[in-house]
Amino acid sequence: MNRIAFVCSCEDTMEPDLALIRRGCPGVELRGAEHLCRSQLDRFQAALAEGRPITVACTQEAPTFEQEGEEADLTFVNIRENAGWARQGRDASAKMAALLAMAQVPMPATPVVAMESQGVCLVLGRDEVAIDAARRLAETLDITVLLTGQEDVQPASSTPFPILAGRVAQATGWLGAFELVVNGYAAPIPSSRAAYRWGTPRDGARSRCDIVLDLTGGAPLFHETRDGYLRADPANPAAVLEVVLRAQSLIGEFEKPRFVTFTDSLCAHSRNRRTGCSRCLDVCPTGAITPGKDSVAISAEICAGCGSCAAVCPTGAARYALPPAEALGQRIRAGLQAYRRAGGEHPVLLLHAEKGEAMIEALARHGDGLPARVIPVRVNEATQIDLSILAAATAWGAAGLRVLMPARRPEGAEGVLRNIETLNAVTAGLGLGERAAAIETDDPFTLGDALAGLSLKAVWKPDEALAIGAPREVALRSLRALHGASGSAIPALPLPALAGFGAAQVKADGCTLCLACTMVCPVGAFRSNPDAPELSFLEDACVQCGLCAATCPEKVITLEPRLNFAPEAREPRVVKREEPMPCRHCGKPFGTRSSVERVKQKLAASGHWMFTDPKRLAVLELCEDCRAIEATTGGLDPYAGPTRPDTRTTEDYLRDAQRANQETKH
């Protein structure tokens, strides 16, 4: 069932070219209007009667259309501020087609995390401000006040909630599940008169609550995004009132998005108590990620959704879900294809979060608006953008990419900035120049100037066949597609550290084929041969986690961040191969000749009595089965040992002492 799309000129304040837009969106029945939300509302009502999905190129009047079509499948697109209201609005029809095409790509539902609060609230404070706030909350919440005890507080004649003293030594949890350890915990002495006097303090008291209201004015217990943790400066009455009102609403059942999906089996954090990749731990601003035995653990309850972990994860273990990179990529590809079909050239993508919409609107209403070739793409957080999005969009024909971030760089931005650096290292190395950058500003006019001055052109043929898939594979295929489209003969390019692609170089002379690297490699880049002493390496699989280098007992492995375009990188390469050691009795191979000879030499040089006999050393030339037979039937006594010294008794020592005394007298 074809979708109907209404493109309204908004009382002729825009000049959309319907013919070009139709060319860009061939699967949509396009209908024009000038005043769809008012005098031409009957056109929309008639379309509702057809029972088909409808897209309306207007977001301002979305409530009006939703009211008319409560049961209809409706989608809304802002082509006014994003395209038509601009100095180059007359040339923005190709962008309008791109915006309509992107809106048709459905986004998957985001999983949610359930949290429940019974309204048990702990108010932390230092003076009467905390007690006054507690009185406001006492009618709706179950309140306990914990004062620092450092300031004199006059006791009330009666209070409907406990007032205690103590200092928080440790705090964990989230809305509905906080647990705090309190030192110096003490109850007030009943005879307190002018100021609270406290009883005998004790350490290690535990408090469990659903909400924490922090009015101490000291260092925060949690990151500001922690659900259920409210904090305000006690010297600011307006701020205190705001958090009190917020606390009143935190009772009942709540849902928050599960921003990140995590597959622990893909995590390259650690193996066998050796730490490898810690990229997500290094960038997470909220403490939602903690190290585990083999993988990290991500708390969905604590996660604030910045997506920085997904932006830097080299294996795809952590993947952003609002929306997933695959879905966002499908939307971007649809937009770029529609833009080209409608005659647009050299598109630039502006990736922005919610605050970017206000800046774009201000630029459209009070400035020149966005340039006609700049296509805005809304994301949940700018810090979620991984390399697959940047690389794929470039391979699909985006002449440039700009990521809009606040002037005050957000926490967790290291990931997206690292991905921009990686993409630019590749495109510059291929002779295409730098294609991506961040625009860090809160001023819409500064944003407009940065976009208006771009002269980037897509001088390569877009890869229409580039498929969507797991982020790492998409990024690798996209960068290879750019290599082919650029015509460059460069076989490999160096990449910045932590880029997630590269080689693990092995000094073969020092490798003993212990195969420890194969046992810890989380992605199977290092592999062994079950039929021969052999170590191979698959460069395409390597994520530069460093577990192999950390585990190698000979320390002969080093990491080299790079992007290898050669076909050999996609096939396992033999790093070291040795002649197997055949058993001297049965001929079964059981190791390498060099390792057996090396062990024999070390044991012989140790001077231990057991290995001074060549016959015993020769046992090392046998496989495990023949070694057991030799130990039991070959004349070797497994319990044999060096000659024991003669047993000496007390009488022997006394006799020796007496003899020594006599020799001394003489």
Side-chain angles (χ1 to χ4, degrees):
M1 186 183 300
N2 287 348
R3 177 178 289 271
I4 300 171
F6 282 100
V7 174
C8 180
S9 67
C10 195
E11 299 183 284
D12 292 331
T13 58
M14 299 184 293
E15 301 180 45
D17 188 328
L18 297 185
L20 288 180
I21 298 174
R22 285 192 182 96
R23 190 190 307 168
C25 304
V28 176
E29 182 183 333
L30 197 66
R31 301 180 184 180
E34 297 79 34
H35 204 190
L36 185 66
C37 60
R38 297 292 187 270
S39 62
Q40 295 172 339
L41 187 60
D42 58 323
R43 299 186 186 184
F44 177 74
Q45 293 168 337
L48 288 174
E50 298 180 36
R52 294 157 61 183
I54 299 175
T55 295
V56 180
C58 175
T59 54
Q60 175 178 288
E61 299 298 326
T64 300
F65 298 115
E66 288 175 333
Q67 184 176 356
E68 291 291 330
E70 294 181 356
E71 304 297 329
D73 180 359
L74 300 179
T75 302
F76 300 95
V77 184
N78 182 358
I79 67 168
R80 192 175 67 178
E81 283 83 1
N82 286 337
W85 279 6
R87 185 170 60 85
Q88 299 178 359
R90 182 175 295 180
D91 302 321
S93 293
K95 177 163 57 168
M96 294 179 186
L99 295 171
L100 285 168
M102 288 193 291
Q104 311 317 314
V105 178
M107 294 291 103
T110 303
V112 297
V113 181
M115 294 185 288
E116 183 177 0
S117 168
Q118 301 293 334
V120 178
C121 179
L122 178 64
V123 179
L124 306 176
R126 65 189 186 193
D127 51 23
E128 287 86 353
V129 173
I131 297 176
D132 290 341
R135 288 195 183 99
R136 290 174 177 265
L137 294 171
E139 293 184 3
T140 55
L141 303 179
D142 183 355
I143 298 295
T144 299
V145 175
L146 186 69
L147 299 176
T148 60
Q150 296 174 339
E151 297 189 18
D152 290 340
V153 177
Q154 181 176 336
S157 57
S158 65
T159 51
F161 43 79
I163 298 177
L164 306 163
R167 60 186 184 279
V168 178
Q170 183 180 347
T172 58
W174 50 84
L175 176 64
F178 285 107
E179 182 170 340
L180 294 83
V181 177
V182 179
N183 288 342
Y185 174 82
I189 296 174
S191 60
S192 299
R193 188 174 180 179
Y196 279 116
R197 293 181 296 123
W198 307 102
T200 304
R202 67 182 179 91
D203 292 342
R206 292 186 176 273
S207 172
R208 293 179 176 85
C209 58
D210 301 315
I211 307 162
V212 177
L213 178 57
D214 187 350
L215 302 176
T216 62
L221 300 179
F222 303 102
H223 190 268
E224 60 185 5
T225 59
R226 185 71 58 96
D227 290 312
Y229 176 65
L230 307 174
R231 179 172 174 265
D233 181 357
N236 186 340
V240 172
L241 178 59
E242 180 182 354
V243 294
V244 166
L245 294 176
R246 288 171 57 192
Q248 288 177 335
S249 65
L250 294 181
I251 184 169
E253 296 181 357
F254 301 88
E255 289 183 347
K256 64 176 289 186
R258 186 180 294 272
F259 295 103
V260 176
T261 57
F262 182 68
T263 306
D264 56 2
S265 61
L266 296 177
C267 182
H269 171 59
S270 63
R271 296 290 188 279
N272 298 336
R273 298 182 181 179
R274 299 281 185 176
T275 300
C277 176
S278 62
R279 292 168 172 83
C280 61
L281 289 165
D282 296 337
V283 300
C284 178
T286 63
I289 306 177
T290 53
K293 181 180 179 182
D294 288 337
S295 70
V296 299
I298 301 181
S299 170
E301 292 83 2
I302 297 176
C303 176
C306 71
S308 57
C309 56
V312 299
C313 181
T315 66
R319 299 169 72 169
Y320 204 69
L322 193 64
E326 301 94 313
L328 182 59
Q330 289 174 352
R331 177 165 283 185
I332 289 173
R333 181 171 66 172
L336 291 173
Q337 290 175 342
Y339 180 83
R340 284 194 297 272
R341 285 194 298 263
E345 295 181 337
H346 313 302
V348 173
L349 297 185
L350 176 63
L351 302 163
H352 67 90
E354 181 179 4
K355 292 182 179 179
E357 290 187 342
M359 295 178 63
I360 293 171
E361 180 178 342
L363 193 62
R365 293 177 179 272
H366 307 291
D368 290 338
L370 293 179
R373 68 183 186 126
V374 174
I375 304 173
V377 179
R378 167 69 189 275
V379 296
N380 190 57
E381 295 287 350
T383 47
Q384 78 183 71
I385 300 169
D386 62 27
L387 182 60
S388 72
I389 295 299
L390 301 176
T394 308
W396 287 325
L401 296 136
R402 292 297 180 264
V403 179
L404 178 59
M405 293 193 294
R408 180 182 177 184
R409 184 170 292 177
E411 295 175 300
E414 298 92 332
V416 65
L417 295 176
R418 186 185 304 162
N419 293 333
I420 290 173
E421 181 186 11
T422 300
L423 177 69
N424 286 335
V426 176
T427 55
L430 296 177
L432 302 176
E434 294 188 351
R435 294 286 164 173
I439 301 177
E440 300 178 86
T441 182
D442 297 323
D443 178 31
F445 299 103
T446 302
L447 170 64
D449 292 342
L451 296 173
L454 294 178
S455 59
L456 296 170
K457 293 186 177 181
V459 295
W460 60 94
K461 183 179 179 181
D463 190 337
E464 301 285 353
L466 184 63
I468 301 294
R472 176 179 172 79
E473 285 69 29
V474 171
L476 192 55
R477 289 198 301 266
S478 301
L479 296 175
R480 283 218 167 94
L482 284 172
H483 177 259
S486 70
S488 173
I490 295 176
L493 285 172
L495 293 180
L498 304 177
F501 301 101
Q505 304 292 0
V506 180
K507 296 179 181 178
D509 293 344
C511 176
T512 61
L513 286 177
C514 69
L515 304 181
C517 53
T518 66
M519 291 181 280
V520 298
C521 181
V523 292
F526 275 112
R527 306 176 182 187
S528 61
N529 186 343
D531 300 320
E534 181 180 286
L535 176 66
S536 62
F537 175 71
L538 177 61
E539 184 167 345
D540 259 15
C542 180
V543 297
Q544 299 284 285
C545 67
L547 278 170
C548 54
T551 305
C552 178
E554 285 77 28
K555 304 302 178 186
V556 295
I557 300 178
T558 56
L559 301 181
E560 180 187 358
R562 71 179 188 182
L563 186 59
N564 192 347
F565 300 110
E568 292 77 13
R570 308 173 205 180
E571 298 293 334
R573 170 178 57 87
V574 175
V575 174
K576 183 164 185 178
R577 179 190 293 119
E578 282 196 14
E579 179 186 356
M581 178 69 178
C583 175
R584 186 163 45 84
H585 280 181
C586 68
K588 169 186 171 183
F590 66 94
T592 63
R593 186 177 298 277
S594 63
S595 61
V596 172
E597 293 299 330
R598 184 164 46 251
V599 171
K600 288 172 61 178
Q601 291 174 5
K602 288 185 177 181
L603 292 177
S606 68
H608 195 279
W609 69 268
M610 184 179 291
F611 304 110
T612 55
D613 183 0
K615 190 175 181 181
R616 288 185 176 276
L617 278 177
V619 175
L620 297 176
E621 301 173 2
L622 305 177
C623 68
E624 62 274 16
D625 297 328
C626 295
R627 199 175 303 138
I629 296 173
E630 180 73 11
T632 54
T633 64
L636 290 176
D637 183 2
Y639 302 105
T643 303
R644 288 179 173 274
D646 294 336
T647 302
R648 292 175 59 83
T649 65
T650 302
E651 293 180 356
D652 295 326
Y653 285 105
L654 293 174
R655 187 182 306 111
D656 292 344
Q658 184 179 5
R659 185 180 300 114
N661 289 333
Q662 291 176 353
E663 291 176 355
T664 301
K665 291 178 181 180
H666 293 293

